[in-house]
Amino acid sequence: MTQSKLLKTESILPVPDQDALIQSEKLIERIKQALRKQGGVISFDEYMNMVLYESGLGYYSAGSRKFGSEGDFVTAPELSPIFSQCLANQCAEILNELGSGTILELGAGTGAMARDILLELEKQNSLPDNYLILEVSADLKQRQQDELKETIPHLLERVVWLDALPKEGISGVILANEVLDALPVKRFKKLATGFKEMKVGLGVDQFVWVESDAEDKLLNSLKRIEDDLSTSFPENYISEINTQLEQWLNGLEEVLNKGVMLFIDYGYSAAEYYHPERMDGSLLCHYRHRVHADPFYYPGLQDITSSANFTAIAECADSIGLHVSGYTNQTYFLFGCGLEDLLADMNQLEIKAQTKIAQQVRVLTMPEEMGERFKVMALTKDYDNVLKGFALMDQRVRL
Ligand SMILES: C[S@@+](CC[C@H](N)C(=O)[O-])C[C@H]1O[C@@H](n2cnc3c(N)ncnc32)[C@H](O)[C@@H]1O
């Protein structure tokens, strides 16, 4: 997502329309049922899962606009086709090396990235055998199908939509742009007496944080983080942890027979993620291009995200037999994938179009925009070739 200023929730956020409020009320009722079933509190990852993905009501499952200038945020593929064209160059290198193969995209948003990757690969005569899209949101799946039917009807026969990971293994590339940040996380707080899990309960008129004793599994994970970083979290330190990462990555490892997974997302190494000064974690909510930190604001109407912990992903990958083959920031990745060559063609365009592209490239690559905040990680299986996206700068030592 492009950068927006962090705000306090009250008074400044636009009021949702009546239909949206009704949808949110229905979702609140569903969450209250879950609370009643579980003695009044649920874990934050369960809450996050419901507000984002509850069937027909969650943020990604219901029909709100979400992406683009009229939605809540703008992602790199929405901002400019150049991003996807660079990714296509990386995919072409891998597919050509493998002889042929499949691309599996996780969480394809509006379908913009699939469209632009396929168009670029067609130009390069490197189309994949199939382009699979795993989309958990029925609303987004419909939007992707409409978009691809309209813009690339001649390539549609290669595109297959899935509701779950494919049963048959694939050789090729698995792509996930801004998917890691949408995976549900647990929240914790360090007190003088030890760790608490911050769960969700019901207050007078809205959901509230409830500090509960952390269960052994969570406690062990948190103690391991402190050991690995040779530090203790300061008192009142709050942060997040994805306890389902291993299961998620395991699923992908089982699907990939041979090839490369590319994850692009905002995030850090563990040392940066759990920096003592990051006292409130990385949980953020996006609502109509405003960013704030209250996940209980109009459940189901705003996106909730937390940054990716790339050290945790690398460790997890390592433990299940995947190789961490590259880690860099978005700027180096895009230039490594031939951004400069793509821009060389720009000279033939009118000045107005050139200015527009220059502005898009600025947002994609400047450090204070997406360039440094966004990282790219490559995990490989039975694939030893150099990846062009990491040739300019590989920052695995930072993990
Ligand atoms: C912030 S959006 C990014 C969309 C798109 N990749 C882009 O860059 O514009 C997050 C996407 O991740 C999807 N998603 C969330 N959890 C997922 C999962 N477990 N598997 C696959 N997709 C998932 C959501 O449905 C949504 O499409």
Side-chain angles (χ1 to χ4, degrees):
M1 285 157 203
T2 50
Q3 185 96 294
S4 305
K5 210 166 151 239
L6 184 65
L7 303 170
K8 297 228 178 294
T9 6
E10 311 78 33
S11 72
I12 343 161
L13 295 175
V15 178
D17 64 32
Q18 202 52 30
D19 287 349
L21 286 173
I22 291 170
Q23 175 206 322
S24 183
E25 277 307 319
K26 284 186 188 160
L27 179 60
I28 289 171
E29 201 37 57
R30 204 71 72 86
I31 298 169
K32 283 181 182 171
Q33 281 170 15
L35 282 166
R36 281 193 287 272
K37 264 194 203 153
Q38 297 182 48
V41 283
I42 56 173
S43 61
F44 183 69
D45 50 1
E46 186 174 347
Y47 173 83
M48 189 166 163
N49 195 42
M50 288 188 84
V51 292
L52 294 184
Y53 306 112
E54 182 71 11
S55 179
L57 296 173
Y59 178 75
Y60 281 109
S61 316
S64 73
R65 181 97 213 117
K66 300 181 261 290
F67 300 87
S69 56
E70 285 159 33
D72 305 301
F73 53 79
V74 178
T75 60
E78 297 292 320
L79 179 74
S80 170
I82 289 175
F83 175 82
S84 305
Q85 287 159 0
C86 288
L87 256 181
N89 285 342
Q90 179 62 89
C91 291
E93 182 185 57
I94 300 163
L95 294 175
N96 292 339
E97 188 58 43
L98 292 173
S100 68
T102 294
I103 295 179
L104 165 60
E105 183 183 349
L106 310 177
T110 61
M113 191 164 105
R115 176 197 66 212
D116 295 329
I117 286 181
L118 282 167
L119 282 172
E120 184 61 30
L121 290 177
E122 182 184 35
K123 219 161 90 185
Q124 298 185 23
N125 212 9
S126 296
L127 278 168
D129 301 333
N130 282 303
Y131 194 105
L132 312 179
I133 295 181
L134 170 59
E135 183 53 70
V136 291
S137 153
D139 168 56
L140 287 178
K141 179 176 163 186
Q142 187 60 51
R143 278 163 72 176
Q144 292 154 15
Q145 290 179 337
D146 293 346
E147 171 65 26
L148 300 193
K149 249 181 226 158
E150 196 185 318
T151 55
I152 51 165
H154 62 298
L155 295 175
L156 209 56
E157 61 182 17
R158 287 175 199 262
V159 188
V160 181
W161 276 268
L162 308 169
D163 299 324
L165 286 173
K167 297 218 170 17
E168 298 266 303
I170 61 159
S171 287
V173 193
I174 298 181
L175 298 174
N177 185 60
E178 291 210 35
V179 174
L180 292 168
D181 71 75
L183 299 178
V185 288
K186 283 192 188 294
R187 218 164 188 225
F188 65 87
K189 184 172 186 178
K190 176 86 182 270
L191 297 180
T193 49
F195 285 108
K196 293 281 177 192
E197 179 174 349
M198 294 181 71
K199 293 191 172 181
V200 179
L202 193 58
V204 179
D205 57 3
Q206 67 159 34
F207 298 118
V208 291
W209 292 111
V210 176
E211 290 174 14
S212 307
D213 288 336
E215 284 168 16
D216 284 351
K217 195 168 165 234
L218 177 62
L219 264 185
N220 291 337
S221 305
L222 296 173
K223 285 186 180 143
R224 227 192 74 206
I225 293 171
E226 288 194 317
D227 287 348
D228 289 348
L229 296 175
S230 307
T231 181
S232 285
F233 292 117
E235 204 176 325
N236 292 322
Y237 189 85
I238 293 174
S239 192
E240 295 82 37
I241 180 169
N242 181 346
T243 55
Q244 291 161 36
L245 190 61
E246 189 170 337
Q247 194 190 348
W248 186 76
L249 209 53
N250 243 321
L252 297 181
E253 191 274 332
E254 279 168 20
V255 164
L256 189 68
N257 292 336
K258 185 182 173 79
V260 183
M261 299 180 197
L262 287 169
F263 298 138
I264 307 141
D265 228 303
Y266 38 97
Y268 323 93
S269 67
E272 296 162 291
Y273 192 100
Y274 293 120
H275 193 280
E277 282 175 17
R278 202 183 297 282
M279 286 293 288
D280 284 316
S282 69
L283 202 68
L284 287 178
C285 308
H286 295 257
Y287 182 67
R288 308 227 195 124
H289 297 276
R290 275 81 162 179
V291 180
H292 66 92
D294 180 1
F296 305 132
Y297 179 78
Y298 293 129
L301 302 187
Q302 59 173 2
D303 192 18
I304 303 181
T305 75
S306 93
S307 296
N309 175 350
F310 281 101
T311 304
I313 296 161
E315 284 173 356
C316 225
D318 199 45
S319 75
I320 59 172
L322 291 166
H323 183 61
V324 183
S325 296
Y327 175 65
T328 193
N329 69 27
Q330 181 164 297
T331 305
Y332 286 122
F333 180 79
L334 295 181
F335 277 101
C337 288
L339 177 61
E340 225 168 324
D341 294 340
L342 286 168
L343 295 181
D345 299 340
M346 232 172 73
N347 293 338
Q348 299 138 19
L349 300 174
E350 285 179 15
I351 289 293
K352 207 171 155 199
Q354 286 192 34
T355 313
K356 189 174 160 200
I357 294 174
Q359 166 66 8
Q360 293 169 347
V361 171
R362 199 181 70 78
V363 177
L364 289 173
T365 59
M366 291 303 278
E368 69 280 10
E369 298 272 2
M370 301 177 98
E372 172 60 32
R373 273 194 317 131
F374 278 73
K375 310 291 192 305
V376 187
M377 177 170 269
L379 305 179
T380 56
K381 187 169 171 185
D382 197 9
Y383 187 91
D384 299 327
N385 296 79
V386 174
L387 296 164
K388 57 166 67 189
F390 305 89
L392 285 182
M393 173 70 83
D394 192 335
Q395 302 177 317
R396 277 177 290 178
V397 286
R398 288 179 65 179
L399 290 167

